[in-house]
Structures are given as C-alpha cells and as structure tokens.
Amino acid sequence: MTGLVIFDCDGVLVNSERVANEVLVANLGRHGLTVTIEDSEKMFVGGTMTGVYRTALDMGATLPDDWIPLIYREIFDRLAQGVEPMPGVHDLLDTLEARDIPYCVASNGPVEKMRITLGQTGLWDRFERHMVSAYTHGVAKPDPGLFLQAAVPFGVAPEHCLVIEDSHNGVLAASRAGMRCLALVPAGEAPALTALGAHVIRHMNEVPAHLGR
C-alpha cells in the first residue's frame, strides 16, 4: 500500500521543461554553443544547473563565472510570464487527500523556481510545507538521498513510497532509493526509463490505479 507519493516538479507538476530549455538554448547560443531544444532536453533535463554549466564548458561554451545565477534569472523571468499545471495534477492531489495519502515534492531545482511555477498554478499552497530541493539539502538526483530525505518527515519506508518522475536521473534516483516509480511520458516512447524499472504513464489519471500496489 502506498504511504507517500513523491512528485518531481518540472515536467511532472508543471509544464515548464520546454520553456526552460528554450531559454537555455538561446543563452548557450550567445555563448558560442549551438544545441537544439531536443539536444538540451536529452542532455540536461533532470540534472542540476551546475551540471549544465560543466557540460557546456566541456562542449566549448564560453561561460562567465557567474553564469549560473544569470541563467536562472533569465529562466525565472520567462517562467513568471506563465506556465500551466500538468493535466490532472489537481484532481490527483484531491484523490490523495481523500484517501489520506500524504504527498510532497522533491526537485533538483531551487525553491525560488518552485515558488514561481507552483505559485502561479495553485500548487504552492499544497506543497509549501512539504518540499525538498537539491539546493537546500545538498544532494541531487540521481543520488537517492533527495528522495530518502523527502520521506523522513512522514516516517514512510522506501518500499511504501511512490515516485512520479519524468527524467532519467529522477527514475534512477528512485530505483536507487528502493522506491516504486511512475514515469510520466505524455507522448513518445521511453525505453530507457522502463529499463530502469519505471512504469510509464501518459496522464495523471492513471496514478490512482497504482496506489494500492
């Protein structure tokens, strides 16, 4: 029986991945590195901005030492213009509350970013008291520590946690933590995520069927 549901943020709670990658691609282009949106999504989704910075430098980008706070400001400004919750998120949270199943969010992104995206989608109030960020906890996916830390306040063992993710790093972290994982992939195939042990879903309305397992 599921005792806790742990959500990733970008691409799971809010439809923000594409927007952030558009900003990132444009920025890297100005710093001498040309990548496509698809390349950016494959290389960077689910990681940390520190990882993006190091990879971009290795690929030939000329980035200033203060690039990370600068790119975050660009992304935050763009996200503040509007993002949407992922379809079915609010209905799923209502279902979890009706069944007395607690939930939280665990993200590699900073709390400030979640405040922007969750704040404008009616989700901030639902998650504010129960969120962990790699920037405040000092550990990032694919390390399992972020998910394990998220479960501590609830006293729920890993085997009774259900993670909802959309990235390779997130699914790998869930697997390493010993937690079941649903991979939200609205379109396309995800053999790499399936190979890591995740069950692929297309919409949040599929989640309740997995709560009792």
Side-chain angles (χ1 to χ4, degrees):
M1 185 69 179
T2 300
L4 174 68
V5 177
I6 306 176
F7 293 86
D8 179 42
C9 185
D10 297 297
V12 172
L13 292 176
V14 287
N15 191 11
S16 53
E17 292 284 21
R18 189 75 177 189
V19 172
N21 277 281
E22 288 173 353
V23 174
L24 182 58
V25 166
N27 180 284
L28 292 177
R30 297 195 302 271
H31 289 92
L33 178 62
T34 300
V35 294
T36 66
I37 294 292
E38 290 71 24
D39 290 337
S40 181
E41 290 176 341
K42 289 178 182 177
M43 290 188 294
F44 304 135
V45 167
T48 64
M49 202 59 73
T50 299
V52 175
Y53 177 75
R54 292 170 179 165
T55 299
L57 287 177
D58 290 342
M59 295 176 67
T62 54
L63 303 178
D65 292 340
D66 61 347
W67 180 79
I68 292 178
L70 292 175
I71 186 60
Y72 263 131
R73 180 46 52 197
E74 282 190 43
I75 291 174
F76 292 170
D77 288 347
R78 175 60 184 84
L79 291 173
Q81 296 176 26
V83 295
E84 296 292 329
M86 293 298 287
V89 164
H90 282 287
D91 288 341
L92 174 57
L93 298 182
D94 290 342
T95 296
L96 295 178
E97 291 172 6
R99 299 190 185 184
D100 291 323
I101 299 175
Y103 55 84
C104 63
V105 58
S107 174
N108 272 357
V111 172
E112 183 181 357
K113 183 180 181 183
M114 288 190 278
R115 189 186 304 273
I116 293 170
T117 57
L118 301 182
Q120 61 184 282
T121 53
L123 292 167
W124 177 259
D125 290 342
R126 306 187 82 157
F127 283 96
E128 181 182 8
R129 293 182 298 112
H130 302 298
M131 59 172 55
V132 293
S133 163
Y135 282 76
T136 55
H137 285 73
V139 61
K141 310 166 196 175
D143 190 296
L146 199 65
F147 286 142
L148 293 172
Q149 181 62 39
V152 168
F154 301 94
V156 178
E159 61 268 26
H160 296 302
C161 294
L162 177 65
V163 173
I164 305 180
E165 265 288 351
D166 71 326
S167 72
H168 181 277
N169 280 346
V171 172
L172 183 56
S175 176
R176 289 173 172 174
M179 298 177 178
R180 292 186 300 127
C181 185
L182 300 179
L184 180 62
V185 184
E189 300 301 319
L193 302 185
T194 302
L196 290 173
H199 179 88
V200 171
I201 59 173
R202 302 298 186 183
H203 192 280
M204 286 295 184
N205 62 13
E206 297 177 53
V207 175
H210 296 270
L211 296 176
R213 298 181 182 178

